Structure formats: C-alpha cells, structure tokens
Amino acid sequence: MNILITGGAGFIGSHVVRHFINRYPEYRITNLDALTYAGNLENLRDIESKPNYSFVKGDITDSDAMEALFREGNFDGVIHLAAESHVDRSISNPTAFVMTNVIGTVNLLNAARSPWAGAYEGKLFYHISTDEVYGTLEQGTGIFTEETPYDPHSPYSASKASSDHFVRAYYDTYGLPAVISNCSNNYGSYQFPEKLIPLFINNIRHRKPLPVYGKGENVRDWLWVVDHASAIDVIYHNAKHGETYNIGGHNEWKNIDLIRLLCSIMDRKLGRKDGESAELITYVTDRAGHDLRYAIDSGKLQRELGWTPSIQFEEGLEKTVDWYLDNPDWLERVTSRAYNLN
Ligand code: NAD
C-alpha cells in the first residue's frame, strides 16, 4: 500500500503519519506539506528516518505540482489533512482559506483522478473534515449526525464545507472512491500554541493572561488526537465508499469549565497554590459569529466500524499537559518560529 498523507507536518497530520508508519511498516507513506507557519518537521523527528517514510515539500494550491506528484507517486490512497485550520485567522484572511481548503482540495481531486483514470479498484481519496460544517446547536439540546444539514458560519467552516461538497461531487460525478470524516476538536501533543489548550498551557507557564471569549459559555466536544488517528485508520481500511463518518469523544465541555480544569492541573504540576492560574483568566470580546455549541454523534462509526476512543478526557488532558511541560524547547521554538525561518 502506497499512501499520500497531506498536511502531515501539522498537528493531526503528524499523529496520522506516525500512526501509519509505526502500525504498517510494510506501507509506503509520503507526507506532502507546504510547511506553512503550522507545519513543523520537528513534529516527526521520531519517525523521519524510518525506511517507509518520505517527505515532499509542496503546495496543494499548485495544480501542476499536484498533477506531477500523482503521475510519479503511483499512490493507492490519499488521506487529505492539509488545510488552513485556525478560525481566528480565517476571519482576518478568508481568501487564504478558500485557496488552500477549497482550491487545494479540488487540485488534489483532479490530480488523483487522472493517473487512476477510472481504474478505481483498491483506490481511496479520504478527506478529513470538521464538525464545524454543521453550524451551531442550542445549549443542552441536539447533536450533529451525518444527516445534519450543513450550516457553516465562519470562513474556516465555510471553506471546509465547500471542500466536503467537492469531494462528494467527485464521488457522484466521476465515481472517484471517496470517504469523508467530520471530527470534533482535537487536543494533544504537537498542537500549534494558537489553539486553546496549548496556548493556555504556555500562557500559564509564563503567567500571561488567559483570554476567554465572551463569558466562556461556548461548548465543544473534545477528542484526543491519538484517538482521531486511530479512527482515521479504521475508516481508511473499512469505510464504505461514498460515506461520511462523524468522529467525536461524546465529551462536551463548556470552555470556562475546561479552562478551570486545565488551570487546576497546571497548579498541581507546577507546584503553585490552588487557584493561582485561574487568576490569569481574562474575559475578552466574543469572536464574531462564534458558534455556541458543537456536539457530535459518532455512533455510526462505533456501530458500523467498531471504533471507540481509548481514554477519558481527564486522563488525556493530564498526558497533554505533561507532554508540553516535558517539551519546553518545542514550545519555545514554535512560539519564536525558530523552526520555520529557513
Ligand atoms: P494544522 O494547521 O496543525 O496543520 C495543517 C498542515 O497543513 C500544516 O502542516 C500546514 O503546513 C499544511 N498546509 C497548509 N496549507 C497547505 C498547502 N497549501 N499545501 C500543503 N500543505 C499545507 O491543522 P490540524 O489541526 O492538524 O488540522 C488538520 C486537518 O484536520 C484540517 O483539514 C482540519 O480542517 C481538520 N480538523 C482539525 C480539527 C482540530 O481540532 N484541529 C478538528 C477536525 C478536523
């Protein structure tokens, strides 16, 4: 099996690459990544010398480069994670999100189609997406299923929704074997510290303010990134083509409750007095168009393909805090951009 993983130098992508490299030493894994601010090859130091791994620096918005890569690569499958992924950045620069998430995905779909040339047996285009495409839910009621109509509100979620529609359109129109999964918020090691959990861990370390949007009432479902990687493995190998699978942890947290839990874990780990980190909480103006609540039903994936998350949130969060505290050099280099200056 010869698989192209896009965005493999990012947060989730690096876990997916690591999972496939270690679990399937007989597979060839090619990691394609443009190494934007979010892409960091240091995330893959432990597996980069494995014989079944190779890296290609390339931009999915470059259609000629994608066509050439697929002509030469002879890939059986694609797991597509490369994206602009941060909602706040999508509000300040939406066009970058259209370019990478929409045009980039269409370039990959086109590039995959031509060498496979309709001989689709054993081939798969697997598109990784988000629960944010479904829009927002009332507090305390409702849950996203695979049938929930799309209703994106941020430029990020609109671009991901658009890319999902293109993947389905290529399945329906050209018969391109395709699968989509929509996952809730991931947390874990190697996440760029602009996202809530690593940002707050880093700020608490440096006794910097913890900016909480609005009143911190927004609710998100959280899944350990290692469990997302295992779900991607199960879906890649067993999914019915043309299907969509929701992935989540059945683990809803109000932002402010999650932040207070994180603060208390950090107080304990850093030997600070209980409540010290929570004093850093600073309420800031709410994000424009901020979705109130996401909750995701991953029952289809559990029933049909037998996947379940491996750990509880509190345990995963402890492991995550330990990883960032054990890897201060990674945090320093990422926040100073030292990894990305050449
Ligand atoms: P990330 O921002 O950490 O990583 C994205 C990676 O894509 C980076 O390595 C970056 O260099 C690369 N990339 C960006 N633009 C590119 C381009 N034009 N060409 C090639 N590579 C490019 O993102 P992430 O959090 O790891 O998310 C990965 C995927 O999972 C995304 O598709 C995202 O929408 C989806 N997702 C993320 C979450 C989450 O909680 N983070 C949840 C559900 C789905």
Side-chain angles (χ1 to χ4, degrees), residues 20-303:
F20 274 77
I21 289 284
N22 289 332
R23 179 118 199 242
Y24 303 106
E26 72 281 19
Y27 288 10
R28 269 193 294 145
I29 302 295
T30 303
N31 170 17
L32 168 79
D33 199 295
L35 300 182
T36 69
Y37 80 93
N40 180 359
L41 291 176
E42 290 181 16
N43 297 354
L44 293 161
R45 282 286 177 261
D46 55 323
I47 56 94
E48 66 186 359
S49 57
K50 298 272 172 118
N52 58 338
Y53 171 75
S54 59
F55 173 69
V56 175
K57 185 171 179 197
D59 191 325
I60 62 170
T61 65
D62 181 344
S63 57
D64 291 343
M66 292 307 104
E67 296 281 348
L69 179 70
F70 273 79
R71 257 196 321 273
E72 288 152 23
N74 199 20
F75 303 117
D76 299 304
V78 182
I79 305 177
H80 173 36
L81 296 110
E84 288 290 342
S85 69
H86 190 44
V87 175
D88 289 339
R89 287 178 189 260
S90 82
I91 294 169
S92 48
N93 184 6
T95 308
F97 284 67
V98 177
M99 293 310 296
T100 288
N101 299 358
V102 185
I103 307 288
T105 299
V106 172
N107 285 342
L108 282 177
L109 288 163
N110 288 335
R113 263 188 74 211
S114 32
W116 291 349
Y120 290 146
E121 184 67 32
K123 308 287 196 249
L124 181 63
F125 190 102
Y126 178 7
H127 178 60
I128 307 300
S129 192
T130 166
D131 62 352
E132 302 190 27
V133 298
Y134 297 124
T136 188
L137 296 163
E138 294 293 315
Q139 210 67 286
T141 171
I143 193 159
F144 298 139
T145 72
E146 287 81 359
E147 278 71 48
T148 302
Y150 276 27
D151 184 23
H153 296 128
S154 72
Y156 165 66
S157 54
S159 68
K160 291 297 291 188
S162 173
S163 63
D164 292 7
H165 289 317
F166 271 104
V167 173
R168 284 197 190 94
Y170 274 59
Y171 175 79
D172 291 338
T173 308
Y174 307 110
L176 185 82
V179 174
I180 299 174
S181 58
N182 296 83
C183 188
S184 59
N185 277 19
N186 284 215
Y187 69 95
S189 51
Y190 300 109
Q191 187 170 30
F192 192 82
E194 63 186 352
K195 306 273 170 61
L196 194 147
I197 290 178
L199 174 72
F200 280 27
I201 291 173
N202 201 33
N203 284 12
I204 292 170
R205 282 174 68 226
H206 295 291
R207 297 181 194 277
K208 282 168 50 178
L210 307 177
V212 178
Y213 281 131
K215 294 181 181 150
E217 296 283 306
N218 304 69
V219 174
R220 300 291 181 263
D221 178 89
W222 291 89
L223 181 71
W224 192 36
V225 63
V226 172
D227 284 333
H228 190 186
S230 79
I232 288 172
D233 176 355
V234 167
I235 292 170
Y236 183 85
H237 288 101
N238 303 296
K240 192 162 161 249
H241 294 177
E243 291 288 313
T244 295
Y245 297 86
N246 283 347
I247 311 174
H250 286 287
N251 175 45
E252 287 181 54
W253 282 82
K254 211 177 255 190
N255 281 348
I256 191 63
D257 296 338
L258 186 160
I259 291 160
R260 289 193 185 283
L261 172 64
L262 185 61
C263 286
S264 73
I265 294 174
M266 289 292 286
D267 283 340
R268 179 160 42 81
K269 302 268 180 198
L270 295 174
R272 294 183 187 167
K273 86 173 171 2
D274 194 30
E276 205 174 321
S277 299
E279 285 168 17
L280 299 167
I281 292 172
T282 311
Y283 294 95
V284 299
T285 309
D286 207 355
R287 172 192 275 163
H290 203 176
D291 289 332
L292 181 62
R293 175 170 165 258
Y294 303 142
I296 190 144
D297 178 359
S298 55
K300 174 178 171 181
L301 176 58
Q302 303 193 2
R303 275 190 314 278

